[in-house]
Amino acid sequence: MLYQSTRSTHSVNSLQAILEGIAPDGGLYLPTDLNNLSVKAEDLMGKSFEEMAATILRTLFDEFTEEEMTEMVHRAYGGKFETEDVTPTVKVGEDYVLELFRGPTSAFKDVALSMLPVLITEAKKKLGITEKIMILTATSGDTGKAALEGFHDVDGTGIIVFYPNGGVSAVQKAQMVTQEGNNVTVCAIDGNFDDAQTGVKNTFAACGDKDLKSKGVMLSSANSINMGRLAPQIVYYYKSYCDLVAADEIKMGDTVNFVVPTGNFGDILAGYFAKCLGLPVGKLVCASNQNDVLTEFLTTGRYDRRRTFHRTNSPSMDILVSSNLERMLYLASGGDYAKIAGYMKDLNQIGEYTVDEALFASLQETFAAGCCDQEQTLACIKDTYTTYGYLCDTHTAVAVDVAKAFKARGTQDKTVILSTASPYKFPVAVLSALGEEPAEDEFAVMEQLYARTNVPVPQNLAGLNQKPVLHTDVIPKDSILDYVLKKVEA
Ligand SMILES: *Cc1c(COP(=O)(O)O)cnc(C)c1O
């Protein structure tokens, strides 16, 4: 199947799209005939998560045979999630919560980052590429650990994760610096997340492919610009829908709204892909925290990144430039790549763009949006716990709050809220929301939260502070390139 850039007619097959991550013109890859592809929810009824994943992923990456994809999906997910369904949907009040945090690192990124290493390894084999793939990742916390968990000990790959020294939570840091594996490197940089991200981008630019190829290495990325990371996220929209039909909560064919806590627009875009493939999706509701650039865009048509960046209690959504929105604009404009390239140029150079009326109208047909500040987030955690006995993390709480406002405006459809992290990944905020004074040590706070709520601590987080620290490197923010070159030569 062909994948085309959002900024030109440049196209490659799906295997190359997975390996390259981003197109050479700076655009993002999309399947050229997304609107002609179809996956019927009725055909997936009664199937397991893995069976659904195999069907959906093969629809998007048809270079793989059914047999190959079935084996790959099993390798990615088999026995790795704490719940048998991988992504269970639970009823909370009159709504439903789709729990995406039951994986090895307790964040929703596990769903995609369990599958990406398998897709990369197999794409590489099919293309006859023999170089080692070195994954470079800058992280503000969740992606780094999920990527390490996905790539550790995967043959023919290596991974280096850079995180801001002092810029991640104690739990997130412990998750990364205790990572085992013969191909993993974790390094702190003296700087913030943007410095880490810029350093990694500059390293990609400075290395080009050629000079590393002689050393038998190819660089690649694990972030959500890669189609290999987006595609596995489509699966849980179908899974949740089929679960609601099976539980008699809806009838097959009924439309369902999905409310998505959003940062880089990857998760919610996967919902749009599901809709394109034929899933009966009502509205996709984009939930933002105080960094409400997407709420403004989806209600006015004007995207303006020139605003104050807020550090919030839902840090994984603290983002002002949502990369995957570019894909949505391309699709909503009917593939007008010249227009999209223009908007992206304006975003880069001026810091804003306004989409034309037709495009805006098309976005509004599919999307609704809302935002929620930090106080409201905490109040929502408390309210959801007190009213329904359901404990949610800060990111999920943003979505729960936005869902309430969305429903108050009126909808006939049932509403599913995507839950993206375990409350134990952000225990200080969650415990404070319940009105208790958190201890200084975050691991002690986890125990306080358990004592208060009896919600079990996920296995991977319990006992993390007893594990040996394996990674202690700290480097200046401008040394990322040198550091990578040294690792590559080692
Ligand atoms: C990454 C992340 C998000 C945002 O997802 P996007 O695909 O970037 O929109 C939301 N919540 C949590 C906990 C995350 O880790």
Side-chain angles (χ1 to χ4, degrees):
M1 182 178 305
L2 277 184
Y3 278 66
Q4 186 178 322
S5 166
T6 47
R7 297 191 196 176
S8 72
T9 54
H10 174 78
S11 61
V12 296
N13 70 27
S14 72
L15 304 173
Q16 291 164 307
I18 291 168
L19 276 189
E20 282 178 34
I22 190 163
D25 56 23
L28 305 178
Y29 286 119
L30 277 170
T32 47
D33 55 355
L34 184 61
N35 290 317
N36 299 322
L37 302 176
S38 145
V39 175
K40 290 201 176 80
E42 46 267 51
D43 295 342
L44 298 182
M45 284 301 293
K47 292 197 174 181
S48 68
F49 179 93
E50 284 187 25
E51 288 165 332
M52 290 187 189
T55 302
I56 292 166
L57 291 173
R58 222 182 75 75
T59 304
L60 285 153
F61 304 128
D62 63 357
E63 278 83 354
F64 294 104
T65 66
E66 210 175 307
E67 205 182 353
E68 285 169 336
M69 194 56 91
T70 300
E71 184 281 324
M72 286 160 64
V73 164
H74 186 65
R75 204 188 323 155
Y77 295 107
K80 285 203 202 142
F81 281 62
E82 64 181 7
T83 45
E84 209 185 297
D85 297 22
V86 180
T87 59
T89 298
V90 299
K91 191 159 187 178
V92 176
E94 60 179 27
D95 301 325
Y96 308 86
V97 173
L98 167 54
E99 296 187 338
L100 304 175
F101 58 82
R102 299 297 188 174
T105 81
S106 301
F108 100 98
K109 293 187 172 65
D110 286 328
V111 181
L113 282 164
S114 298
M115 193 65 213
L116 181 65
V118 181
L119 286 168
I120 286 186
T121 316
E122 296 306 314
K124 193 181 133 184
K125 261 190 220 156
K126 274 204 191 278
L127 290 170
I129 289 170
T130 52
E131 282 91 357
K132 174 174 169 181
I133 308 278
M134 183 63 92
I135 303 289
L136 299 187
T137 306
T139 186
S140 58
D142 289 338
T143 302
K145 176 60 184 182
L148 286 164
E149 199 55 50
F151 281 96
H152 79 87
D153 300 316
V154 173
D155 280 349
T157 72
I159 174 164
I160 308 177
V161 170
F162 295 99
Y163 71 93
N165 203 11
V168 299
S169 77
V171 172
Q172 288 174 322
K173 179 174 174 183
Q175 280 188 304
M176 291 189 278
V177 298
T178 60
Q179 177 68 48
E180 294 165 12
N182 59 27
N183 62 343
V184 304
T185 304
V186 178
C187 178
I189 63 141
D190 275 325
N192 60 25
F193 169 67
D194 283 327
D195 297 322
Q197 173 120 303
T198 306
V200 165
K201 278 190 186 156
N202 291 344
T203 302
F204 276 112
C207 288
D209 267 348
K210 287 197 190 75
D211 98 71
L212 290 185
K213 268 205 172 133
S214 60
K215 302 188 177 90
V217 171
M218 211 177 128
L219 296 183
S220 191
S221 146
N223 72 26
S224 67
I225 52 178
N226 195 320
M227 265 307 295
R229 229 190 100 172
L230 282 178
Q233 300 186 325
I234 300 169
V235 179
Y236 46 72
Y237 286 91
Y238 275 91
K239 177 76 170 80
S240 190
Y241 187 91
C242 291
D243 284 349
L244 291 187
V245 175
D248 258 342
E249 300 286 336
I250 57 169
K251 286 197 301 294
M252 181 58 76
D254 289 351
T255 46
V256 169
N257 305 311
F258 291 91
V259 186
V260 189
T262 298
N264 225 358
F265 212 76
D267 202 1
I268 195 167
L269 181 70
Y272 183 72
F273 287 162
K275 186 178 165 123
C276 293
L277 293 176
L279 188 71
V281 173
K283 283 279 192 218
L284 289 164
V285 185
C286 174
S288 309
N289 64 22
Q290 200 177 349
N291 296 294
D292 58 354
V293 61
L294 285 168
T295 308
E296 181 182 85
F297 174 67
L298 291 169
T299 47
T300 66
R302 176 160 167 273
Y303 196 102
D304 186 356
R305 69 171 165 83
R306 300 165 304 174
R307 54 173 67 221
T308 312
F309 175 86
H310 300 284
R311 273 183 194 287
T312 74
N313 54 16
S314 47
S316 303
M317 292 153 65
D318 291 345
I319 185 159
L320 294 181
V321 179
S322 291
S323 314
N324 276 302
L325 184 62
E326 177 170 349
R327 284 191 163 104
M328 189 57 232
L329 298 178
Y330 177 91
L331 293 168
S333 71
D336 191 342
Y337 55 82
K339 186 185 277 178
I340 305 311
Y343 290 152
M344 292 304 124
K345 193 166 154 230
D346 287 348
L347 181 64
N348 251 330
Q349 296 181 348
I350 316 167
E352 68 160 305
Y353 61 86
T354 302
V355 296
D356 63 48
E357 261 170 50
L359 208 169
F360 184 54
S362 150
L363 289 174
Q364 288 215 306
E365 251 170 54
T366 308
F367 294 94
C371 56
C372 168
D373 69 20
Q374 301 196 63
E375 301 267 291
Q376 280 169 283
T377 304
L378 297 180
C380 182
I381 291 174
K382 176 159 193 201
D383 185 50
T384 308
Y385 186 69
T386 321
T387 314
Y388 306 112
Y390 189 80
L391 187 68
C392 62
D393 97 294
T394 47
H395 302 75
T396 308
V398 167
V400 172
D401 192 72
V402 168
K404 240 181 260 166
F406 166 74
K407 289 195 308 170
R409 297 197 294 269
T411 174
Q412 305 295 322
D413 297 335
K414 300 275 167 124
T415 297
V416 175
I417 295 155
L418 276 63
S419 174
T420 50
S422 158
Y424 284 98
K425 272 209 102 163
F426 304 94
V428 175
V430 174
L431 187 75
S432 316
L434 300 184
E436 288 202 20
E437 188 66 36
E440 195 127 314
D441 175 59
E442 256 188 57
F443 289 94
V445 181
M446 279 193 199
E447 295 192 1
Q448 282 178 285
L449 189 56
Y450 176 65
R452 172 77 163 78
T453 62
N454 256 329
V455 173
V457 183
Q459 279 279 315
N460 76 83
L461 298 177
L464 201 56
N465 53 344
Q466 315 295 334
K467 282 181 137 188
V469 170
L470 303 172
H471 308 276
T472 53
D473 286 358
V474 184
I475 61 168
K477 63 182 178 188
D478 52 7
S479 305
I480 290 182
L481 174 61
D482 288 347
Y483 187 86
V484 170
L485 291 176
K486 248 184 237 139
K487 286 286 164 191
V488 164
E489 274 157 22

